[in-house]
């Protein structure tokens, strides 16, 4: 079945850029998502990208997609302490409408 | 827009009792809702897919009779944990997709279940 993998931890200093990486196996993935989860809360959709796009930028967030390598990344510019959270990568294909496969999440720690 | 609520946010119950968790899409219609369980090491486990007006589709290894799902309307799905045991203690999260436009799943804030 589909698989999504992420590194488990990332630590950066406040003001630096953070890059969270994700790889997936489903070549028919149509939509790719990044979610943020703060402690004790549900997941918040941060941004998404269609598989026919290479890049999407939304304020401090930049998503890069390398479809050939099935590699997705999320760059957070000028990382703030409020960005500390768990970030989940997810993919969705054309089948099973709405059902996504999630990675295990990357815990981002931002140090002052 | 696209707000999903869950109730209750936290529940403590005795072993053997049943607990119902509600998931509501507040400002949109959701033909499909999903129920997840999140373990202490943070991975999300999809339990079931809930479609309005039809039976839920359960993932392999999830007991249908233990985790009862009802999706009675386009804005409400419920998960009932029957005869709860301490090993059912977990963080349960629901999500919903909109009927039009694809912008991923919108998640509820989660329900922390503790079974004593």
């Amino acid at each position: 079945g589909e698989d999504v993998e992420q590194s488990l931890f990332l630590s950066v200093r406040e003001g630096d850029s953070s890059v969270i990486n994700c790889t997936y196996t489903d070549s028919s993935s149509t939509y790719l998502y990044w979610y943020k989860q703060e402690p004790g809360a549900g997941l918040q959709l941060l941004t998404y990208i269609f598989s026919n796009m290479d890049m999407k930028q939304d304020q401090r967030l930049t998503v890069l997609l390398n479809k050939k390598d099935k590699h997705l990344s999320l760059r957070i510019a000028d990382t703030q302490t409020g960005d500390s959270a768990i970030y989940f990568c997810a993919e969705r294909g054309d089948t099973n409408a709405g059902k996504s496969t999630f990675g295990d999440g990357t815990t981002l720690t931002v140090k002052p | 827009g696209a707000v999903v609520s869950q109730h209750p946010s936290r529940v403590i119950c005795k072993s053997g009792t049943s607990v119902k968790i509600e998931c509501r899409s507040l400002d949109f219609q959701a033909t499909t809702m999903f129920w997840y369980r999140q373990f202490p090491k943070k991975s999300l486990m999809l339990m079931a897919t809930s479609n309005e007006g039809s039976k839920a589709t359960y993932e392999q290894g999830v007991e249908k009779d233990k985790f009862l799902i009802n999706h009675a309307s386009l804005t409400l799905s419920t998960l009932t944990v029957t005869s709860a045991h301490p090993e059912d203690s977990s963080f349960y999260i629901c999500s919903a997709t909109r009927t039009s436009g694809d912008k991923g799943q919108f998640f509820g804030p989660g329900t922390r279940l503790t079974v004593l």
Side-chain angles (χ1 to χ4, degrees), chain A residues 8 31 33 35 37 40-43 45 48 86 88 92 97-100 102 104-105 107, chain B residues 32 34 36 38 42-44 46 49 59 91 93 97 102-110:
Chain A
L8 294 181
Y31 307 95
Y33 308 94
Y35 292 86
Q37 184 181 32
L43 275 67
L45 177 63
Y48 66 100
I86 302 174
F88 290 90
R92 201 199 99 180
K99 179 177 174 180
S100 298
F102 286 79
D104 285 345
T107 299
Chain B
T32 304
F34 302 91
Y36 294 87
Q38 189 172 32
K42 73 191 174 164
S43 61
L44 282 170
L46 178 64
T49 303
E59 295 299 304
F91 193 52
I93 308 176
T97 57
D102 186 274
K103 293 186 179 176
Q105 298 175 38
F106 297 93
F107 284 81

Side-chain angles (χ1 to χ4, degrees), chain A residues 6 8-11 20 35-42 44 46 76 79-88 105-110, chain B residues 42:
Chain A
Q6 305 175 235
L8 294 181
F9 302 98
L10 176 65
S11 180
I20 303 172
Y35 292 86
K36 177 183 181 181
Q37 184 181 32
E38 296 182 3
Q44 172 197 358
L46 277 181
I76 305 172
T79 313
Q80 303 297 307
T81 53
D83 295 323
S84 293
I86 302 174
Y87 291 81
F88 290 90
T106 299
T107 299
L108 173 64
T109 302
V110 182
Chain B
K42 73 191 174 164

